Amino acid sequence: KQEVTQIPAALSVPEGENLVLNCSFTDSAIYNLQWFRQDPGKGLTSLLLIQSSQREQTSGRLNASLDKSSGRSTLYIAASQPGDSATYLCAVVKAAGNKLTFGGGTRVLVKP
Amino acid sequence: DAGVIQSPRHEVTEMGQEVTLRCKPISGHDYLFWYRQTMMRGLELLIYFNNNVPIDDSGMPEDRFSAKMPNASFSTLKIQPSEPRDSAVYFCASSFGHMNTEAFFGQGTRLTVV
């Protein structure tokens, strides 16, 4: 059974510092990995999707890497801002059908 | 498109009552998912549909839970009878295609069973 883990569960950084969020998964046979952002009381917003054949994806200040063989992905957020405060979740898709298996999330606080 | 629309946003009900959650997926999307989020268990997939047909309901916790998708623009998740342990945020999501496509989530329904 696929298990997805995110450590740490919470992270607090001063504004301007780069954020590094980690995600690990036990079964390397995945189709893709997705990173989401969740604000309190809101739904999930997709940030990046990395296909199994890719090593990284970038969008603005966000960069996500994928090392399938070691079962790891890292989300980098450059020059963090207070508006980046949210919970970040990673999820993997193991088979056709887009079923997502989620990690527990990392709650991020960026202090002004 | 307005995105995935869920209703109601909040629901408070008494134990034993029937609860129906509703979802309108993004037009043109052929996959629809129901997830549940709790502090203890995080986000879990309950059931998903492809072209209105239930494909995998292995995540549905008990027979008290049922889901339908009568057409491409509407789905319901029903709990009957509801119990306090069903209290959670229920999310609906949709996507297009079976591989490497983003999932779009609704705002969720916060269910409280007292």
Side-chain angles (χ1 to χ4, degrees):
Chain A
K1 178 186 174 185
Q2 178 73 272
E3 293 185 3
V4 182
T5 304
Q6 293 184 248
I7 296 174
L11 186 60
S12 180
V13 299
E15 181 178 2
E17 192 166 298
N18 296 332
L19 281 164
V20 180
L21 306 179
N22 299 304
C23 173
S24 61
F25 46 95
T26 54
D27 186 347
S28 62
I30 63 170
Y31 273 20
N32 65 64
L33 183 145
Q34 299 179 40
W35 282 94
F36 292 87
R37 169 184 172 139
Q38 185 176 26
D39 293 285
K42 304 288 187 182
L44 281 70
T45 300
S46 178
L47 297 174
L48 290 168
L49 182 152
I50 312 176
Q51 298 181 27
S52 61
S53 58
Q54 297 175 322
R55 300 280 300 187
E56 67 176 345
Q57 276 283 4
T58 298
S59 176
R61 294 185 294 113
L62 275 59
N63 175 276
S65 65
L66 175 64
D67 184 343
K68 225 175 62 162
S69 60
S70 67
R72 292 180 183 176
S73 177
T74 302
L75 177 66
Y76 301 90
I77 304 177
S80 62
Q81 304 168 358
D84 295 329
S85 299
T87 296
Y88 292 83
L89 298 114
C90 70
V92 298
V93 173
K94 180 173 166 57
N98 281 332
K99 288 170 53 175
L100 293 162
T101 300
F102 282 90
T106 296
R107 189 171 67 253
V108 171
L109 175 63
V110 181
K111 295 178 288 187
Chain B
D1 199 309
V4 177
I5 299 173
Q6 292 187 246
S7 64
R9 289 294 312 278
H10 303 273
E11 176 80 39
V12 179
T13 190
E14 292 185 348
M15 182 173 63
Q17 296 297 307
E18 177 180 296
V19 175
T20 300
L21 311 181
R22 297 173 175 78
C23 175
K24 175 179 168 56
I26 292 174
S27 177
H29 282 190
D30 55 350
Y31 281 84
L32 183 139
F33 307 84
W34 283 100
Y35 289 89
R36 179 171 68 175
Q37 186 175 38
T38 61
M39 289 293 293
M40 289 296 294
R41 301 175 66 90
L43 267 160
E44 301 174 292
L45 177 67
L46 300 176
I47 185 172
Y48 80 95
F49 296 81
N50 176 221
N51 291 323
N52 312 337
V53 176
I55 303 300
D56 184 350
D57 66 354
S58 60
M60 296 286 260
E62 299 172 33
D63 291 344
R64 298 184 295 106
F65 287 69
S66 62
K68 294 182 180 179
M69 192 164 185
N71 57 62
S73 59
F74 184 66
S75 177
T76 60
L77 178 68
K78 185 177 293 186
I79 308 172
Q80 165 64 19
S82 58
E83 296 183 3
R85 58 191 167 127
D86 302 331
S87 297
V89 181
Y90 291 81
F91 287 103
C92 176
S94 70
S95 65
F96 175 72
H98 69 287
M99 283 180 60
N100 294 322
T101 58
E102 294 176 58
F104 293 83
F105 280 73
Q107 297 278 51
T109 295
R110 181 174 295 277
L111 174 65
T112 303
V113 183
V114 298

